[in-house]
Amino acid sequence: MTLACLLTGAALLGCEDEDDGPAKKSAKDLIDEANARMGKLSSLTIEMTNTVGDTTMAWRMTTDLKSRCKVKLTLPGAGTLEQIRIGETDYVRPDKKYLETWSGDDLGAARPGAWAKVPVARSKPGDGLSRCTRPFESFGTATKGEATRIGGRDALRLNVTDPADEGGTYTFYVATEGEPHLLKVVQDKGAERLTTTSFSKFDEPLDIRPPASAEVLDMSDVTG
């Protein structure tokens, strides 16, 4: 601990034991610690943009990381899809443009702007629906970058390369102020794709409820 901390008091200065601080930890340890903390959250909000060329897809989810979440997917030129997942039930609301370009069968009878009630068991890859869970896992080789600020918090940039992702690099931003939350991840594949994922609202109370029954079209018996 520094002399200033000893003389003034760690509690007043917010000092920490240097042996446990980010400066003494490896990049891998910092990412592992952040992933472990993220996996224990009771709630958070995840916002992602995926840019390919001049086209950017936007996705936002508030979740308990278990079975309750609220999602909005915006596809350029293809409309928007909203989703509320509670337990084993999905409430899905596509807009008119999304329905016009929808290629699946399950939402074929849905009405633009109305919530369709669909069993989670009907969800399948490629249908645009999201799971409330999210893995926080370490991979590749990490090295330390510069200090920065993300979302008003001090953070450290960690650069990650992974042989399994040829031509791609990842940048992780881990909070060094307060809890060691993962604040942002950027996956850069050059001109091919740029994906930015931001994390916020850690452990805040969730208010995720079913839509009003008058706004819901029950499609449990609709076969695809």
Side-chain angles (χ1 to χ4, degrees):
M1 187 173 289
T2 64
L3 179 61
C5 288
L6 290 171
L7 293 177
T8 311
L12 293 178
L13 283 183
C15 302
E16 60 181 328
D17 191 331
E18 291 182 349
D19 290 338
D20 296 326
K24 295 294 185 180
K25 295 178 181 177
S26 69
K28 180 182 183 305
D29 287 343
L30 290 171
I31 291 181
D32 287 347
E33 183 179 45
N35 284 331
R37 180 66 185 93
M38 297 295 281
K40 295 177 181 178
L41 292 172
S42 62
S43 67
L44 82 158
T45 293
I46 307 169
E47 297 179 86
M48 181 178 70
T49 59
N50 187 29
T51 301
V52 180
D54 297 329
T55 302
T56 299
M57 176 272 288
W59 177 88
R60 185 179 192 273
M61 176 168 71
T62 298
T63 177
D64 67 357
L65 291 175
K66 295 177 182 177
S67 61
R68 297 173 67 89
C69 57
K70 180 164 45 176
V71 185
K72 184 173 183 179
L73 171 67
T74 303
L75 300 171
T80 63
L81 179 68
E82 296 175 86
Q83 173 192 356
I84 299 173
R85 176 167 290 189
I86 300 176
E88 296 302 315
T89 301
D90 275 323
Y91 299 91
V92 186
R93 181 164 67 178
D95 67 3
K96 185 174 184 293
K97 186 63 176 178
Y98 191 93
L99 282 178
E100 288 175 349
T101 57
W102 182 252
S103 59
D105 295 324
D106 284 355
L107 295 182
R111 297 193 304 267
W115 289 97
K117 182 179 179 181
V118 185
V120 167
R122 293 261 290 277
S123 175
K124 58 183 180 294
D127 62 9
L129 300 184
S130 302
R131 297 181 179 180
C132 300
T133 57
R134 180 183 178 92
F136 290 98
E137 300 173 342
S138 303
F139 60 90
T141 301
T143 57
K144 287 185 178 180
E146 69 276 10
T148 185
R149 285 184 67 81
I150 301 292
R153 295 174 65 183
D154 290 338
L156 185 65
R157 173 176 174 154
L158 303 171
N159 305 305
V160 175
T161 55
D162 185 10
D165 187 9
E166 296 181 9
T169 60
Y170 297 81
T171 306
F172 287 70
Y173 295 88
V174 173
T176 55
E177 174 186 345
E179 295 280 349
H181 294 133
L182 181 59
L183 301 178
K184 185 167 74 171
V185 179
V186 178
Q187 181 187 13
D188 188 352
K189 298 202 74 171
E192 181 180 344
R193 185 174 76 245
L194 177 68
T195 303
T196 301
T197 307
S198 300
F199 306 92
S200 62
K201 301 184 184 300
F202 308 104
D203 285 329
E204 292 191 4
L206 285 182
D207 184 18
I208 298 177
R209 308 175 187 178
S213 57
E215 301 175 359
V216 175
L217 174 65
D218 193 338
M219 297 179 61
S220 301
D221 296 329
V222 175
T223 58

